[in-house]
Amino acid sequence: MAARLATAPVRCQKPAPFASPRLKPALARKAPSLPADHSAAPLPHRFRPTGALMGRIRVPGDKSISHRSLMLGALAVGETRVMGLLEGEDVLATAGALRAMGATIKREDSGVWSIHGVGVGGLLQPAGALEMGNSGTSTRLLMGLVASHPIICTFTGDASLSQRPMGRVIEPLSRMGADFTASPGDTLPLMERGLSPAVPIEWRLPVASAQVKSAVLLAGLNTAGITRVIEPVPTRDHTERMLRGFGAELNVTQENGERVITLTGEAELRPQAIVVPGDPSSAAFFIVAALLVPGSELIIENVGLNPTRAGLLAVLRQMGGSIEELDAREVGGEPVADLRVRHSPLSGVEVDPALAPSMIDEFPVLFVAAALASGRSITSGLEELRVKESDRLAAMAAALRLAGARVEERADGLVIEGTGGEPLPGTQEPVATRLDHRIVMSMAVAGLASRAGVEVDDTRPIATSFPAFEALLDHTAGR
Ligand code: S3P
C-alpha cells in the first residue's frame, strides 16, 4: 500500500513584499522579490559604516510563531486568519508544503493570511517532494505532522539544510511508528512514511531543542492517548501556547526540576484569529546596531518578549546596553513591548550557558557586540551552534577575524577581546556567510561599526527570515 512518490518540487506562491505604510517608498526600491532565485549568482554587498541610527521601526513577524500559525491553521476545521505573518522564504516553504498536503492558504490584499484547514488527521498525500529550502523549522515540524498521517513524503532542501542532523527527530518519530529512509548521517533528502494510528510516547529531549519538542507534540496531535515530552532545559514555548489557543488539551508541569508537557491526542482544533508579534531574533540586529553606532536612538515597535526568547536583552543589559521596554502588553497570547535602544559603551561579559536556549539564534550578533565591547567576552556550552544553518561558531570566528576582531574559537564557544568601542578595521575580501541569513545580517551590523565596511559574499540568504532588512537599515541610517 505504498503511495506513489513523485519528485517534482512543490513551489511556493510569491507574496507581496513586507511593508509598513511609513516605509513603503524605501521598500518598493529595495525589498527583494520572493522566493529568491537560488540558481542565480550570489549577491555580494559591502555594508559600510553609517551615522547614527534613528527613528521608529517595526521588524517582521516572528518566524517560529508564523510557522506554527500555518501548521495549526492547516489542522483546524474552518478558517484561521493570521495578521503579521512573516513573509520570508522559510515560512513560505511551510505554506507550500501544507498546500501540497491539502490546506487552502491564501494571502489577501490586506496582508492577512487565510487558512482553511483539513482537520487533525486530514493531511493528504502530496503529489511531489516537499521543497524545504533553508528551513530546519519547516522540515522538523512537518516531519512531526506527517509521522501520524498515513502518507509518504519526501523532504528536500538546499545545501545548508541537507547537512543538518535529522536523527534527533527521526528517533522519537520512529518510536511513534513512522518509517524513514534518510541520506547518510540522517540528513536530507529523506523519505518519511507516516503511520495512523501512531503510538503515543514519552520523550525526554536529549538536546535542548524546541524543534524536536514541537515535532513530537505535533505528531501526538493525531495520536490516540497521551504524548509526553520532558524538557530538562526549557526551550521556546510557542507550540505549547498556540496548541492551547487552538483548543488542544495540553498541560505543563514541573517534575524534579524538569518541564513536563502532556498532550491528549486526537485533538479537535478550533480555528483562530492570530496576531503575530515582531520577531525578537530579527530585532536583535537593530538592537545591537543601535547600541554600537554612536549617537543612535532607535525605537523598535511590537517586539515579542516571550521569556523563552529574551536572553539577548538580559546579556546586552549586563554589558551596559541601554534598552528600555515601553508599553508592555500582550499580543496574540505573547508578551510584547516597544524597545527604546540608545548607543551605549559595552563591557565584555561571561555569558551564563544556562541562557543559551533563550537566545540560541542571537549569538552571531552578540559576538559582534562583544567584538566592540571593552574587555573580554566568554561564551560556552554552545555546541548546538555548530549544527544551525551553518557552523555558527566557525563562521563567526572566521568572519570577525577577517574584519579585524580578536577571536579565539573553542569547541563550545568563542572568546572575544573587544576593541573598547573603537570601530573594527573592516574587510578587504568578502566574508563567507555559508548560506546562513544570521551570519549575513550579523556581519552587516559589524560593517556599520567598522572603518572600511564589511563585504559579505552573498546577501540572498537574508530573504529566508527578513526580506526587508537592507531597506530598513538604509531607512534607519537616513540613507
Ligand atoms: C526554532 C527553534 C530553534 C531555533 C530555530 C527556530 C523553532 O532551533 O534555532 O531558528 O521555531 O522551534 P532548535 O530547536 O533546533 O534549537
Side-chain angles (χ1 to χ4, degrees):
M1 56 166 244
R4 202 173 56 83
L5 268 170
T7 47
V10 174
R11 294 252 171 254
C12 304
Q13 216 180 45
K14 181 176 169 168
F18 160 80
S20 82
R22 277 159 45 77
L23 292 177
K24 253 190 190 139
L27 295 180
R29 211 167 14 95
K30 283 286 193 144
S33 61
L34 295 176
D37 179 1
H38 286 295
S39 60
L43 281 176
H45 183 73
R46 177 166 285 274
F47 289 94
R48 297 182 188 283
T50 176
L53 304 180
M54 306 295 289
R56 296 180 85 89
I57 57 166
R58 273 187 180 232
V59 293
D62 188 278
K63 184 153 76 69
S64 294
I65 296 175
S66 295
H67 283 297
R68 288 154 172 86
S69 315
L70 292 174
M71 290 182 197
L72 296 192
L75 292 180
V77 178
E79 187 193 16
T80 288
R81 295 179 66 77
V82 187
M83 269 172 63
L85 188 93
L86 166 64
E87 296 175 353
E89 287 174 6
D90 280 14
V91 175
L92 298 178
T94 290
L98 292 168
R99 280 194 195 105
M101 292 190 278
T104 304
I105 303 179
K106 290 194 179 120
R107 182 189 194 277
E108 297 176 355
D109 291 343
S110 61
V112 171
W113 285 70
S114 156
I115 305 150
H116 284 271
V118 294
V120 169
L123 292 179
L124 302 175
Q125 172 69 47
L130 303 178
E131 171 50 62
M132 300 285 92
N134 190 256
S135 181
T137 309
S138 309
T139 308
R140 294 190 177 123
L141 271 56
L142 289 169
M143 283 167 70
L145 281 184
V146 167
S148 53
H149 283 77
I151 58 178
I152 299 180
C153 292
T154 297
F155 292 88
T156 61
D158 71 4
S160 149
L161 183 58
S162 300
Q163 288 183 3
R164 299 184 65 187
M166 296 299 151
R168 55 182 62 194
V169 277
I170 291 177
E171 211 187 324
L173 298 177
S174 300
R175 292 193 190 201
M176 296 181 81
D179 189 51
F180 294 87
T181 307
S183 300
D186 285 337
T187 56
L188 263 50
L190 69 73
M191 194 173 79
E192 174 178 14
R193 180 197 300 262
L195 178 71
S196 181
V199 184
I201 59 167
E202 172 175 299
W203 191 248
R204 173 178 277 101
L205 293 181
V207 280
S209 166
Q211 293 181 351
V212 177
K213 165 177 68 177
S214 303
V216 174
L217 291 173
L218 292 176
L221 270 181
N222 191 40
T223 302
I226 303 285
T227 295
R228 273 161 64 92
V229 180
I230 303 172
E231 278 196 308
V233 179
T235 63
R236 65 188 70 190
D237 64 355
H238 306 301
T239 302
E240 297 93 303
R241 287 175 187 248
M242 204 178 281
L243 276 170
R244 276 218 199 94
F246 272 78
E249 204 181 314
L250 180 138
N251 291 303
V252 180
T253 53
Q254 289 291 331
E255 291 175 24
N256 307 320
E258 298 180 322
R259 200 164 167 266
V260 180
I261 306 145
T262 308
L263 174 72
T264 305
E266 298 190 306
E268 270 196 28
L269 301 187
R270 292 188 294 271
Q272 299 297 307
I274 297 172
V275 182
V276 181
D279 195 327
S281 301
S282 296
F285 302 108
F286 284 89
I287 296 171
V288 172
L291 290 175
L292 294 183
V293 176
S296 297
E297 178 166 343
L298 206 53
I299 294 189
I300 311 172
E301 295 174 348
N302 196 41
V303 181
L305 291 181
N306 181 314
T308 61
R309 299 283 299 280
L312 178 73
L313 293 192
V315 172
L316 290 174
R317 285 181 179 135
Q318 200 185 336
M319 295 172 82
S322 165
I323 307 169
E324 271 175 84
E325 289 169 31
L326 312 173
D327 190 16
R329 55 202 185 269
E330 205 169 271
V331 170
E334 296 273 347
V336 156
D338 302 335
L339 300 180
R340 179 187 283 138
V341 188
R342 292 194 179 94
H343 166 66
S344 317
L346 300 178
S347 316
V349 68
E350 180 157 1
V351 180
D352 179 356
L355 283 175
S358 66
M359 54 181 293
I360 195 70
D361 291 335
E362 284 69 79
F363 280 98
V365 79
L366 175 72
F367 296 147
V368 176
L372 278 107
S374 56
R376 169 180 292 195
S377 293
I378 303 174
T379 54
S380 59
L382 302 181
E383 297 85 350
E384 271 295 297
L385 292 197
R386 296 205 181 272
V387 291
K388 293 293 179 189
E389 285 83 331
S390 69
D391 175 342
R392 287 180 171 164
L393 294 179
M396 284 306 295
L400 281 173
R401 275 192 204 121
L402 207 59
R406 284 164 60 202
V407 184
E408 180 197 335
E409 182 183 344
R410 295 184 176 166
D412 66 341
L414 299 187
V415 177
I416 299 176
E417 299 288 346
T419 60
E422 283 302 304
L424 292 169
T427 67
Q428 300 309 318
E429 300 153 48
V431 299
T433 52
R434 310 186 189 198
L435 287 178
D436 187 334
H437 54 137
R438 299 205 196 279
I439 304 298
V440 185
M441 290 185 275
S442 298
M443 292 313 294
V445 173
L448 302 184
S450 70
R451 280 207 190 86
V454 165
E455 174 94 8
V456 300
D457 61 351
D458 193 3
T459 53
R460 290 173 306 163
I462 292 174
T464 61
S465 68
F466 200 163
F469 173 76
E470 290 176 78
L472 209 50
L473 210 52
D474 285 351
H475 173 81
T476 52
R479 294 200 272 228

